Amino acid sequence: MVCAGASHGRMMVIAANKEANAQGIHNGMPLADARAIVHELEVFDEKPGRKEKLLEGLARWAIRYTPLSSTDPDGILLDITGCSHLWGGEEAYLKHITSRLQSSGYTIKAAIADTIGTSWALSRYGKGVEIVAPYQQHFALLPLSPAALRIPGEITEKLHKLGLNRIERFIQMPRSTLRRRFGENLLIKIAQAMGDEPEAFIPITIIQEFEERLACMEPIRTAKAIEIAIERLLGKLCLRLKKEGLGLRKAELKGYRIDGKTISTPIGTNRPSDDPIHLMKLFALNISGIAPGMGIELFTLSAEKTEKMERPQEKIWAGQAGLNSQPLAELLDRVAGKVGKNAIHRYLPRADYWPERAVKQAKDLSEDSGISFHNPLNRPIQLLPRPERIEVTAPIPDYPPMLFIYQGVRHSIKKADGPERLERAWWLEEGEHRDYYTVEDEKGNRYWLFRAGHYAAENSAWFIHGFFA
Amino acid sequence: MEQAVKKQVIEGLREQILSMQGYKTVSKSQQNISGLELFAPAFPVHSFPLQGIHEFISESREQTAASSGFISGILSTLMKDGSPCIWISASRKFFPPAAKRFSLNAASIIFIDLQNEKELLWVTEEALKCEGLAAVVSEIPDLNFATSRRFQLVIEKSKVTALFLRENPRILSNTTCLARWKISPLPSILPEGMPGVGQPSWKAELLKVRNGAGGTFEVCWSGSTFEQPQKENIRALPIHELQAG
């Protein structure tokens, strides 16, 4: 298996795994050559930035071993000063890291040394030795190839040409000679590897998640105490959100109980909010659902989704704000928190004649479909979820019926409108067309009736579908 | 002249007594918002009260439909400024496309569909707390005095209009409603000789009005406002004798 990417107009092998290496494929080989060696080569296209992303991910993951973690061109670099004893010494520490990485499928080499340069050299060119004792980096470097000093390829080549193929061969040479022949850079790299020159270490910065923790002195069991805990967490979180100009869309409260169980309570809002009072109300609806068991010892509140928030100007007169008013959004949040989001509906016209499909659900409060309802003047104010069968007396085709019987009550029709023929969308469903009539009975009740199918057809039937105001 | 002055003084005193009794009339500028002045005479101080509960009793599906239409008419006047309305129900049949007939923007009505009565009462109370709403419509079949009192207290703060549609209530006990309506459909009115079904017409009975006389109105919806029907036009021809074309 290899990773391949374009370089100088042709596909080159960028990285190859162990099996490919064993077959003679190495990095920097044209892909065509590699294919010639191994016919069934599996090739992955290199995406720009993938390596950096992977390394950064690993560096982030390594934060668990040390607070200072960083990436270098093809590896990760950890400053483990004062950390290894927590894993029982450097050996156990290194073993832990390598085995963890190996178990997730990485082939890695690692080394520990006093300086960045030496550990870099050993992890790439070292054989066997993984941990260099303090102040022993000089001896550890001696048997290595000059490339281990992180010097440019042409200088390495020059050194090899002169027979200086191990560091011990030239490290004793006078500095002035080395400088004259190979430049200042080599001297700096040697000094950095030995620890005579300082070298900068730039750790990666972890983006702080919006999470607040509250550890309790004593396990908490009462609703009031939980409320206070949530209030405190919200206060802190909202202050941070406010500083960043963000608002909360989704949050989760987790309580760690002393019996080892974790309970979580999620909340969601319709629009970003950083108002602790409003968010508290959303949590308050769910406090009764929090089972403290033996007691909760730790609360965490994390903002899972945040959004940029437009801070409204303080208004002197709170006018009618329509659908985007803050109180309305807060009300809907509370309702969604109590009875579920699916209970809230807002309808927009849909471009469809069929009554059952005439409306669609709006996704949010600001959506507008831009069209208007089809024939709204002729639609009943109440629509039955399913049309109900009625019995009719209809003497003439294409005329409204004279009377109909619905739920055992006889209505004789005095006025009528129609028919309005609606065809089914054949690409969606099969069935008969409908001929709709608006009718009014002798008492003034108005109904929406239809006949499914043609007048004389065998399967034609009459239904009531709605009530007019 | 003297009598007119006396009458004015008495009216003023009456108003004072009402306000002492906790009956809030809308401020003068809002008084008789256009479209509802037709019903004003039935209410105290000749103004249609908006801060409180209006109940609509219905005994059949047809009456529920008529009440929905009547409520839509009231909503269209209340929502003219673009403020939203919340419609709470446990078994909603309201069909949004019909809102257009009542010059109502269906997109600014938020429907909340619930499963049981407990949720219905909770959501209704929460909605009534929300300021800036044109009205809260709630389909509550049963409402007792204690609950209505709770709602009333909430409304006094938020000043939202509550319209409760009560289909087939089990008991009609006393509530704190401002008015109890019963809307039944009337035969629609068409100009002489015209075929078809005309504009919706209703008989709006005010069964109960707090501090008011009550009354019965025959109204029809003209497409944009409530109107008194023109009686002389009512003469329907039998449809089966009308010839098409």
Side-chain angles (χ1 to χ4, degrees):
Chain A
M1 186 195 86
V2 298
C3 253
S7 156
H8 296 103
R10 37 179 201 165
M11 295 296 279
M12 307 289 270
V13 173
I14 289 171
N17 71 351
K18 233 186 202 165
E19 286 78 21
N21 274 331
Q23 303 268 0
I25 297 169
H26 55 83
N27 299 355
M29 195 184 231
L31 184 63
D33 294 2
R35 277 239 168 87
I37 296 171
V38 182
H39 199 64
E40 57 273 16
L41 196 66
E42 210 174 315
V43 180
F44 284 91
D45 284 338
E46 172 69 8
K47 278 187 209 135
R50 179 196 272 167
K51 190 175 88 176
E52 287 75 16
K53 234 167 128 182
L54 251 170
L55 282 174
E56 203 176 309
L58 278 179
R60 268 179 212 292
W61 171 82
I63 287 285
R64 68 188 60 194
Y65 294 106
T66 163
L68 300 172
S69 157
S70 126
T71 61
D72 71 11
D74 36 30
I76 61 170
L77 200 60
L78 309 177
D79 184 350
I80 64 163
T81 313
C83 297
S84 55
H85 72 274
L86 296 170
W87 275 265
E90 286 174 349
E91 220 162 294
Y93 184 71
L94 194 64
K95 210 171 151 198
H96 193 259
I97 297 180
T98 47
S99 61
R100 277 297 289 273
L101 281 170
Q102 270 160 359
S103 68
S104 45
Y106 291 102
T107 311
I108 67 151
K109 270 193 88 177
I112 296 179
D114 276 5
T115 61
I116 295 173
T118 311
S119 53
W120 193 93
L122 283 168
S123 62
R124 282 159 184 80
Y125 298 91
K127 291 186 182 74
V129 194
E130 287 178 326
I131 298 168
V132 182
Y135 308 114
Q136 299 300 306
Q137 57 269 32
H138 182 83
F139 302 105
L141 282 174
L142 290 182
L144 299 182
S145 138
L149 285 172
R150 295 180 287 170
I151 46 179
E154 53 265 36
I155 299 178
T156 325
E157 228 168 85
K158 226 184 210 172
L159 284 163
H160 277 291
K161 243 182 226 167
L162 296 168
L164 304 171
N165 51 9
R166 287 220 299 256
I167 294 174
E168 59 188 343
R169 296 267 171 92
F170 60 86
I171 198 146
Q172 305 293 353
M173 287 183 184
R175 287 171 62 85
S176 57
T177 324
L178 284 176
R179 183 184 292 122
R180 198 170 64 237
R181 285 179 174 267
F182 306 106
E184 183 71 28
N185 196 18
L186 177 67
L187 288 176
I188 294 175
K189 290 292 179 200
I190 292 174
Q192 280 181 343
M194 296 302 164
D196 301 333
E197 281 272 336
E199 187 173 352
F201 177 84
I202 306 159
I204 54 161
T205 46
I206 296 284
I207 301 160
Q208 284 264 317
E209 283 175 43
F210 287 106
E211 191 180 89
E212 293 293 337
R213 298 162 70 86
L214 184 75
C216 311
M217 300 280 275
E218 272 179 25
I220 273 179
R221 294 182 61 182
T222 60
K224 186 73 198 163
I226 295 174
E227 204 181 307
I228 294 170
I230 299 173
E231 246 165 41
R232 277 201 201 163
L233 287 169
L234 273 176
K236 282 198 267 182
L237 189 69
C238 289
L239 200 69
R240 269 182 63 197
L241 287 169
K242 212 170 254 175
K243 276 184 193 153
E244 309 253 340
L246 294 172
L248 196 77
R249 283 297 307 273
K250 251 190 213 164
E252 191 171 28
L253 175 81
K254 277 196 178 140
Y256 295 84
R257 297 195 336 202
I258 49 174
D259 57 2
K261 288 199 179 110
T262 313
I263 41 171
S264 65
T265 314
I267 57 158
T269 60
N270 267 314
R271 41 175 47 221
S273 163
D274 62 359
D275 179 9
I277 298 165
H278 168 54
L279 295 171
M280 186 62 222
K281 274 187 196 153
L282 298 183
F283 274 119
L285 299 172
N286 294 320
I287 284 180
S288 56
I290 297 176
M294 300 288 288
I296 298 169
E297 50 182 355
L298 174 70
F299 286 100
T300 62
L301 177 68
S302 55
E304 286 171 352
K305 195 174 159 198
T306 54
E307 256 174 36
K308 273 239 156 17
M309 198 171 143
E310 276 174 45
R311 217 153 294 283
Q313 271 194 14
E314 302 281 332
K315 284 193 205 101
I316 298 176
W317 295 282
Q320 302 276 17
L323 280 169
N324 351 317
S325 78
Q326 191 66 26
L328 179 66
E330 289 180 2
L331 165 72
L332 295 181
D333 286 347
R334 284 202 297 280
V335 172
K338 176 94 173 179
V339 297
K341 227 178 151 135
N342 297 337
I344 301 170
H345 306 283
R346 189 174 151 256
Y347 296 103
L348 294 174
R350 189 209 295 265
D352 202 327
Y353 298 115
W354 203 249
E356 280 93 336
R357 289 192 295 268
V359 292
K360 67 169 179 185
Q361 273 255 38
K363 283 185 207 74
D364 53 36
L365 288 178
S366 50
E367 195 189 337
D368 186 11
S369 70
I371 51 170
S372 57
F373 284 113
H374 169 70
N375 205 355
L377 296 185
N378 213 355
R379 291 290 174 262
I381 194 134
Q382 294 215 310
L383 191 77
L384 293 170
R386 293 182 147 270
E388 289 170 33
R389 278 296 285 270
I390 48 169
E391 281 178 43
V392 302
T393 309
I396 324 163
D398 296 339
Y399 261 67
M402 276 169 69
L403 59 90
F404 71 96
I405 302 168
Y406 172 54
Q407 290 184 341
V409 183
R410 199 183 136 115
H411 304 268
S412 68
I413 292 166
K414 290 285 168 232
K415 292 181 193 145
D417 258 335
E420 179 189 358
R421 174 165 293 185
L422 295 180
E423 290 281 356
R424 279 181 199 268
W426 53 264
W427 58 95
L428 290 176
E429 59 188 356
E430 284 187 351
E432 295 289 346
H433 64 258
R434 293 172 177 178
D435 285 338
Y436 276 98
Y437 293 92
T438 307
V439 300
E440 185 180 284
D441 73 359
E442 73 277 15
K443 290 191 201 99
N445 301 326
R446 288 165 281 270
Y447 306 92
W448 209 32
L449 313 180
F450 72 84
R451 185 186 63 225
H454 291 287
Y455 174 74
E458 260 177 37
N459 51 355
S460 84
W462 284 85
F463 294 88
I464 179 167
H465 202 182
F467 299 87
F468 283 92
Chain B
M1 183 65 203
E2 209 172 287
Q3 274 222 313
V5 173
K6 242 185 204 168
K7 206 178 167 193
Q8 210 177 348
V9 171
I10 288 169
E11 283 287 312
L13 284 171
R14 270 204 187 125
E15 219 169 302
Q16 272 184 27
I17 292 167
L18 279 179
S19 69
M20 277 178 206
Q21 284 173 342
Y23 186 91
K24 304 267 187 335
T25 53
V26 277
S27 63
K28 289 280 174 197
S29 62
Q30 266 188 304
Q31 205 173 15
N32 286 337
I33 49 172
S34 60
L36 299 176
E37 61 278 83
L38 194 59
F39 308 105
F43 292 97
V45 250
H46 280 266
S47 81
F48 193 95
L50 288 174
Q51 289 167 28
I53 303 169
H54 287 264
E55 279 180 21
F56 296 85
I57 309 290
S58 126
E59 285 154 5
S60 64
R61 280 180 161 182
E62 289 83 359
Q63 283 186 359
T64 310
S67 306
S68 301
F70 193 82
I71 289 173
S72 305
I74 296 177
L75 283 183
S76 83
T77 37
L78 296 181
M79 288 167 69
K80 251 182 205 137
D81 56 358
S83 47
C85 152
I86 290 192
W87 192 299
I88 304 157
S89 165
S91 59
R92 182 174 52 83
K93 296 201 187 66
F94 186 87
F95 189 46
K100 190 76 181 286
R101 185 170 204 171
F102 297 92
S103 51
L104 197 60
N105 180 13
S108 48
I109 306 177
I110 293 161
F111 296 97
I112 302 179
D113 297 319
L114 301 160
Q115 303 296 329
N116 56 45
E117 202 189 329
K118 207 175 132 201
E119 285 177 353
L120 194 79
L121 292 175
W122 184 84
V123 174
T124 305
E125 191 177 335
E126 286 295 312
L128 287 174
K129 277 182 197 161
C130 184
E131 287 168 35
L133 292 179
V136 174
V137 184
S138 185
E139 296 183 25
I140 302 180
D142 290 300
L143 185 71
N144 58 27
F145 183 77
T147 321
S148 71
R149 181 93 195 102
R150 271 175 78 104
F151 289 157
Q152 183 62 37
L153 289 174
V154 171
I155 290 168
E156 273 168 23
K157 250 189 218 159
S158 64
K159 306 191 169 46
V160 173
T161 312
L163 306 168
F164 290 166
L165 177 52
R166 301 180 57 184
E167 189 177 358
N168 297 324
R170 268 175 297 192
I171 351 154
L172 268 182
S173 58
N174 267 335
T175 58
T176 57
C177 62
L178 294 173
R180 182 174 281 168
W181 301 77
K182 185 171 157 189
I183 315 291
S184 12
L186 283 180
S188 59
I189 295 146
L190 282 167
E192 180 88 42
M194 292 294 279
V197 179
Q199 294 288 13
S201 329
W202 307 290
K203 186 166 87 175
E205 287 170 84
L206 273 162
L207 304 178
K208 219 179 90 179
V209 179
R210 187 156 23 128
N211 302 325
T216 301
F217 300 90
E218 284 193 8
V219 288
C220 71
W221 181 257
S222 74
S224 56
T225 176
F226 290 107
E227 269 181 7
Q228 214 126 30
Q230 317 288 258
K231 281 276 179 190
E232 58 271 25
N233 279 344
I234 305 175
R235 201 188 84 80
L237 291 170
I239 38 165
H240 291 277
E241 285 163 29
L242 284 171
Q243 289 300 312

